[in-house]
Amino acid sequence: MTATDTALTGLAQGWCALSLLHGRIEGHIERALQAGHGLSVREYSLLDVLSRQHDGEGGHLQMKQVADAVVLSQSATTRLVSRLEDRGLLTRYLCPTDRRGIYTNVSEAGLRLLAEARPTNDTALREALDEAAKLPELAALVRTVESPGSAA
């Protein structure tokens, strides 16, 4: 085995640990949101992203930006938007300056559900991180996630 092979093996192990941590966190949050609010993690994320829009310059996101923010393809994001719209949690309307553009906003019902679900999401995230921190292979990653400025 060469030095490069060792480095690649370490990189692969790091990626596996990151994937494991993500899966554990997402699964825990998914179960909590479904049980408490009938929302999936993706639905919650979409409502959260769209709730941060504003009417000022650059305040509304294009569908590609929304898709990137919720880590889905544009087509999957469009289907997700349609499902939430059917549930009355989102509304769509034409862009006032470009009639080809369509904006999506969180409805009052969506904002209420998001507000109710946010503490559940936050608690489930904390629980998942606390559980993962007990595992030696994930503890360092959890510390990185928890450290201020770690996303920089």
Side-chain angles (χ1 to χ4, degrees), residues 80-131:
L80 184 58
V81 165
S82 294
R83 283 197 310 270
L84 291 178
E85 184 180 33
D86 290 346
R87 290 174 58 188
L89 301 175
L90 298 177
T91 58
R92 288 189 238 199
Y93 64 96
L94 291 176
C95 171
T97 58
D98 178 0
R99 309 261 322 148
R100 296 169 297 172
I102 298 175
Y103 287 157
T104 304
N105 278 337
V106 181
S107 68
E108 288 301 319
L111 289 172
R112 281 192 304 275
L113 182 57
L114 180 62
E116 292 167 7
R118 185 165 276 123
T120 301
N121 180 79
D122 295 350
T123 298
L125 174 59
R126 179 75 268 153
E127 291 169 353
L129 286 169
D130 289 347
E131 283 301 310

Side-chain angles (χ1 to χ4, degrees), residues 18 21 129 138-152:
L18 181 60
L21 179 61
L129 286 169
L138 299 179
L141 281 173
V142 171
R143 285 191 300 274
T144 298
V145 169
E146 292 175 330
S147 67
S150 65

Side-chain angles (χ1 to χ4, degrees), residues 23-99:
R24 290 175 64 95
I25 291 170
E26 187 173 61
H28 190 79
I29 294 172
E30 179 83 25
R31 288 185 295 278
L33 287 173
Q34 282 288 349
H37 309 283
L39 283 174
S40 70
V41 168
R42 299 284 190 222
E43 291 168 337
Y44 175 87
S45 295
L46 181 64
L47 290 172
D48 184 54
V49 165
L50 292 175
S51 74
R52 297 172 195 276
Q53 296 183 121
H54 57 84
D55 288 330
E57 182 72 26
H60 279 82
L61 300 173
Q62 297 173 349
M63 194 55 73
K64 181 179 181 347
Q65 293 169 303
V66 174
D68 289 346
V70 296
V71 193
L72 289 173
S73 68
Q74 280 187 257
S75 61
T77 301
T78 299
R79 289 190 302 273
L80 184 58
V81 165
S82 294
R83 283 197 310 270
L84 291 178
E85 184 180 33
D86 290 346
R87 290 174 58 188
L89 301 175
L90 298 177
T91 58
R92 288 189 238 199
Y93 64 96
L94 291 176
C95 171
T97 58
D98 178 0
R99 309 261 322 148

